[in-house]
Amino acid sequence: MSDQDLTSAEVERRMADAAQAEEEGRFRDATRLYDQLGKDIQARHGRFDARAIDAFEGVARAIRKGAAGPAAG
């Protein structure tokens, strides 16, 4: 992916894909999608870009939900 490929629309699409995985209970997939998106945003737009922080918050949320699920414990 080149720098030009990570448009605001692409970030929104990828965030929606991760959110969809989270809603479907696919927490590992959601975690991976959020994490990669956050890293890509940081690489192209800077370490403290708010969208990267949002993506990493998604990582934490998906991990928490996965740990609290029926398979946990």
Side-chain angles (χ1 to χ4, degrees):
M1 179 178 292
S2 69
D3 289 347
Q4 299 88 311
D5 292 336
L6 196 62
T7 62
S8 291
E10 178 67 8
V11 169
E12 288 177 24
R13 183 194 65 75
R14 290 175 61 187
M15 191 70 91
D17 289 346
Q20 182 68 34
E22 185 180 345
E23 289 173 18
E24 292 173 356
R26 296 182 295 120
F27 301 116
R28 286 182 191 225
D29 290 339
T31 299
R32 180 183 51 78
L33 291 168
Y34 282 127
D35 184 58
Q36 189 59 58
L37 177 57
K39 289 175 182 176
D40 289 347
I41 292 168
Q42 284 184 324
R44 288 165 180 83
H45 300 288
R47 185 173 173 196
F48 299 109
D49 188 289
R51 297 169 299 175
I53 295 168
D54 289 344
F56 292 129
E57 287 175 350
V59 170
R61 186 177 54 248
I63 289 170
R64 184 188 75 239
K65 287 181 177 180

